[in-house]
């Protein structure tokens, strides 16, 4: 009777071990498949932002060239109607021409600023998505490289951190942060002031 119990216990332990191995294999396969699907999505997003950043870069170049040409035209005396020299004491015309030139330069500056900002945002998103794609492509291989579950969990945790944390790339400065206001901090400060 004792032998049957012992064999039954050993058989149950072996079955449990086989089930644990099967569950780990299924989990690893699903994790790898999910990582590959996500990596593909991040790669597509990276490619999209890379193309957009190229277009915005050309926009920056053209807007800078346009600004230089506009500046030469309005201050070089090529357009007689915009010349202050011809105003000869007509202060109203001098003010009108000066304001018109200022408005033209402001619009030109705004175009340069906006195209540069869009270039930097798309380049930032390209780098972030490319980084995420690379992490997702490599992490299944690194997780499989160890049989230690704790090490595997640490690898997954670090990969998740690398993927989902806000990363800096150098393309966006403090003013160009796509999430400039942290609503949680604002609400916390309001609640603290009321309390």
């Amino acid at each position: 009777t004792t032998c049957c119990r012992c064999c039954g216990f050993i058989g149950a332990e072996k079955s449990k071990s086989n089930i644990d191995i099967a569950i780990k294999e299924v989990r690893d396969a699903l994790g790898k498949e999910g990582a590959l699907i996500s990596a593909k999505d991040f790669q597509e997003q990276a490619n999209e932002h890379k193309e957009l950043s190229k277009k915005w870069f050309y926009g920056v170049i053209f807007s800078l060239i346009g600004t230089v040409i506009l500046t030469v035209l309005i201050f070089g005396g090529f357009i007689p109607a915009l010349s202050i020299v011809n105003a000869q004491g007509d202060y109203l015309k001098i003010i009108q021409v000066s304001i018109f030139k200022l408005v033209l330069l402001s619009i030109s500056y705004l175009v340069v600023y906006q195209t540069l900002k869009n270039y930097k945002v798309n380049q930032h998103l390209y780098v972030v998505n490319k980084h995420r794609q690379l992490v997702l492509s490599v992490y299944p291989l690194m997780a499989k490289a160890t049989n230690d579950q704790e090490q595997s969990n640490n690898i997954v945790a670090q990969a998740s951190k690398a993927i989902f944390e806000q990363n800096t790339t150098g393309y966006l400065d403090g003013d160009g942060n796509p999430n400039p206001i942290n609503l949680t901090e604002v609400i916390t400060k309001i609640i603290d002031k009321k309390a």
Side-chain angles (χ1 to χ4, degrees):
T1 313
T2 308
C3 183
C4 290
R5 279 190 211 162
C6 182
C7 291
F9 180 72
I10 292 172
E13 282 295 315
K14 190 173 183 178
S15 295
K16 184 181 182 293
S17 175
N18 288 341
I19 290 171
D20 289 343
I21 290 170
I23 289 172
K24 183 178 180 341
E25 287 176 2
V26 168
R27 186 177 53 212
D28 290 345
L30 290 175
K32 183 177 180 180
E33 187 66 30
L36 292 176
I37 290 169
S38 294
K40 182 181 174 195
D41 287 342
F42 283 127
Q43 179 62 48
E44 289 171 1
Q45 289 178 20
N47 291 340
E48 179 182 329
H49 288 294
K50 185 176 184 177
E51 288 301 314
L52 285 171
S53 70
K54 283 180 185 177
K55 291 176 182 176
W56 283 113
F57 181 74
Y58 293 134
V60 170
I61 291 172
F62 291 132
S63 64
L64 283 172
I65 291 170
T67 300
V68 168
I69 292 171
L70 178 68
T71 304
V72 168
L73 287 175
I74 64 175
F75 289 110
F78 294 103
I79 304 172
L82 295 180
S83 177
I84 296 177
V85 176
N86 296 339
Q88 297 187 9
D90 187 1
Y91 294 112
L92 185 58
K93 183 175 181 183
I94 291 172
I95 292 172
Q96 283 179 322
V97 169
S98 298
I99 290 174
F100 183 71
K101 287 180 180 182
L102 184 64
V103 168
L104 284 177
L105 287 176
S106 297
I107 291 170
S108 182
Y109 169 77
L110 181 63
V111 169
V112 170
Y113 174 80
Q114 196 61 43
T115 54
L116 184 61
K117 180 180 175 184
N118 287 341
Y119 163 73
K120 289 167 64 174
V121 165
N122 280 288
Q123 193 66 17
H124 169 79
L125 291 173
Y126 161 71
V127 171
V128 167
N129 283 313
K130 187 66 176 174
H131 174 73
R132 290 174 175 166
Q133 179 263 325
L134 290 172
V135 169
L136 282 167
S137 297
V138 172
Y139 118 82
L141 302 173
M142 293 176 69
K144 276 243 183 218
T146 182
N147 289 330
D148 184 8
Q149 188 62 39
E150 185 176 335
Q151 286 179 343
S152 181
N153 289 343
N154 286 337
I155 290 169
V156 171
Q158 289 300 317
S160 297
K161 184 177 177 182
I163 293 167
F164 296 111
E165 276 191 353
Q166 288 291 337
N167 298 316
T168 58
T169 60
Y171 286 102
L172 298 181
D173 51 6
D175 297 335
N177 185 357
N179 301 320
I181 298 175
N182 185 343
L183 292 178
T184 307
E185 288 179 17
V186 171
I187 293 170
T188 304
K189 287 180 182 180
I190 291 172
I191 291 173
D192 288 343
K193 286 183 180 181
K194 287 184 179 181

